[in-house]
Amino acid sequence: MPMRIRAAVAETAAGPLAVKELELDEPRDDEILVKLVATGVCQTDAHALHGRVPASLPMVLGHEGAGIVERVGQAVTSVQPGDHVVLSYQSCGECAQCLSGHPAYCDKALAANFAGARLDGTRGVHRVADADDADREINGHFFGQSSFATYALTTARNTVKVDKDVPLETLAPLGCGVQTGAGAVLNSFDVPAGGTVAIFGVGAVGFGALMAARVAGATTIIAVDVNAERLALAEELGATHTLNVLETDDVAAATQEITGGGVQYVLDTTGRADMLRHAVAALAPLGQVGLVAGGAPDAAVPSAELALGKSVHGIVQGDAVPQLFIPKLVELYRSARFPVDRLIRFYDLDDVNTAFADAADGDVIKPVLRLAAAGQN
């Protein structure tokens, strides 16, 4: 029999989310039922809500869940009831990218994460039969989880077991945004000790990259943003230099001056055409620009500017295999080398719209919705 859950539903594009009672199916043989303790609010949730990514509304969003395994299907062997888990992106596990250790570039990534259904087209979340809107279909399985809810159905592909001695509500952001930034530095760039890194935009992704650059032993870490408070926090968390775009005439020239010839790696989290041009101009020979925010339609780099071996490439989920990378981030947090808790502000599920608004206004770096206490039945 389906179980009753509470969930924040994105009914219409750009409209407020509505917290409603829904029904969730029992887990299939290959699925996991997770009781959510917390979930991060990510920029991708906002993009889905506002129609900037191909998500089919109405839908239960949320894709940075953390919780406790309640039940597992008969075919699941990776976790068992009572395990603490962090949820990440979904992948098929069968295509060439998945089988070669690059599940973030899965052939079925769009369907697995944004279609609002399982890969076979079925849905495990439903309206309550006697509700006023019972006849209106609802989508779920966002990133294989839809974690803006008290419970979620997941699979072994996007469910990562973590140690029980670390607070789940603190680990929630590791599933997407922070993983993307940290993975860009540690996996995609593989920044060496002594490397030079510039991070354009210090939101959750940018701070993940910044903290990872410090872990990697980069000797120059330049944080670029328009928010003075975030730049001050960036200095506390490892930035050796900060540039406020509102006070800097030429970001590329300033970066060149700081490094004495250009930076080896630029992670651009802004998606702005003008910042991409600054990013390429800031590079040293053989330097790399990584893009994690898609890009503005008018973003372009003349081929002449890529002379001297410079390159620009997209990065998805920090090239991370969640089952390998998230435990690494947990261990770095435990050893006080990756203080993700400094980025978080907590909200109740009923305050989900306030969390979205605060994030949009730049008042909070990483909103996290509290859904249940770790020991609560």
Side-chain angles (χ1 to χ4, degrees):
M1 294 292 292
M3 66 182 298
R4 294 288 178 97
I5 67 171
R6 293 180 74 237
V9 180
E11 294 280 8
T12 59
L17 284 80
V19 178
K20 297 187 175 184
E21 191 172 71
L22 302 174
E23 291 186 343
L24 189 69
D25 289 347
E26 284 292 309
R28 293 182 172 185
D29 284 351
D30 64 343
E31 290 182 327
I32 302 161
L33 177 66
V34 177
K35 179 183 178 66
L36 276 305
V37 169
T39 183
V41 176
C42 178
Q43 190 66 24
T44 303
D45 295 307
H47 289 331
L49 179 61
H50 292 278
R52 294 189 288 266
V53 296
S56 299
L57 304 184
M59 180 183 282
V60 180
L61 300 173
H63 63 285
E64 292 183 340
I68 302 169
V69 175
E70 186 95 352
R71 288 190 287 283
V72 301
Q74 294 182 358
V76 175
T77 60
S78 55
V79 295
Q80 60 186 2
D83 284 346
H84 286 201
V85 292
V86 170
L87 310 181
S88 190
Y89 65 90
Q90 186 65 290
S91 56
C92 76
E94 299 175 347
C95 68
Q97 282 64 247
C98 286
L99 294 176
S100 63
H102 301 284
Y105 304 94
C106 172
D107 282 349
K108 299 179 180 178
L110 284 177
N113 292 284
F114 295 100
R118 301 180 179 99
L119 282 173
D120 66 4
T122 61
R123 294 168 177 80
V125 63
H126 316 279
R127 306 274 188 184
V128 175
D130 58 358
D132 293 338
D133 54 3
D135 60 342
R136 191 170 183 228
E137 189 173 67
I138 188 168
N139 296 311
H141 305 279
F142 189 60
F143 278 66
Q145 53 181 286
S146 286
S147 55
F148 286 174
T150 50
Y151 288 85
L153 291 173
T154 70
T155 73
R157 296 290 304 170
N158 70 326
T159 305
V160 181
K161 182 179 177 180
V162 295
D163 292 339
K164 294 182 178 181
D165 63 336
V166 184
L168 279 168
E169 61 186 14
T170 301
L171 300 184
L174 301 184
C176 182
V178 173
Q179 170 178 260
T180 295
V185 168
L186 298 177
N187 301 327
S188 309
F189 290 153
D190 192 17
V191 173
T196 57
V197 181
I199 299 155
F200 287 14
V202 281
V205 175
F207 271 107
L210 187 152
M211 294 186 292
R214 187 176 186 182
V215 168
T219 52
T220 301
I221 305 171
I222 305 168
V224 182
D225 206 287
V226 297
N227 187 310
E229 291 183 0
R230 293 190 179 191
L231 291 173
L233 180 59
E235 287 186 324
E236 294 181 32
L237 298 185
T240 59
H241 302 79
T242 61
L243 294 174
N244 190 322
V245 177
L246 300 179
E247 302 171 356
T248 306
D249 292 333
D250 189 331
V251 171
T255 302
Q256 290 274 354
E257 183 176 353
I258 289 169
T259 56
V263 69
Q264 292 171 292
Y265 309 95
V266 177
L267 183 67
D268 179 26
T269 75
T270 70
R272 292 173 55 94
D274 56 338
M275 294 311 295
L276 174 58
R277 290 189 289 270
H278 280 292
V280 173
L283 289 176
L286 300 177
Q288 301 177 41
V289 173
L291 307 176
V292 298
D298 57 343
V301 179
S303 58
E305 294 187 23
L306 298 178
L308 302 178
K310 297 180 180 182
S311 63
V312 179
H313 60 101
I315 297 173
V316 179
Q317 290 290 339
D319 289 291
V321 178
Q323 287 75 10
L324 300 177
F325 195 64
I326 288 176
K328 179 177 182 177
L329 295 181
V330 173
E331 191 55 40
L332 288 170
Y333 170 73
R334 181 188 280 113
S335 64
R337 301 176 65 199
F338 198 84
V340 66
D341 55 309
R342 297 287 302 278
L343 313 179
I344 293 172
R345 183 186 298 171
F346 292 107
Y347 299 79
D348 293 332
L349 179 61
D350 290 321
D351 296 322
V352 61
N353 291 303
T354 302
F356 268 80
D358 289 350
D361 291 341
D363 293 339
V364 58
I365 297 167
K366 175 52 67 174
V368 172
L369 304 179
R370 281 192 172 115
L371 298 161
Q376 181 179 326
N377 294 323

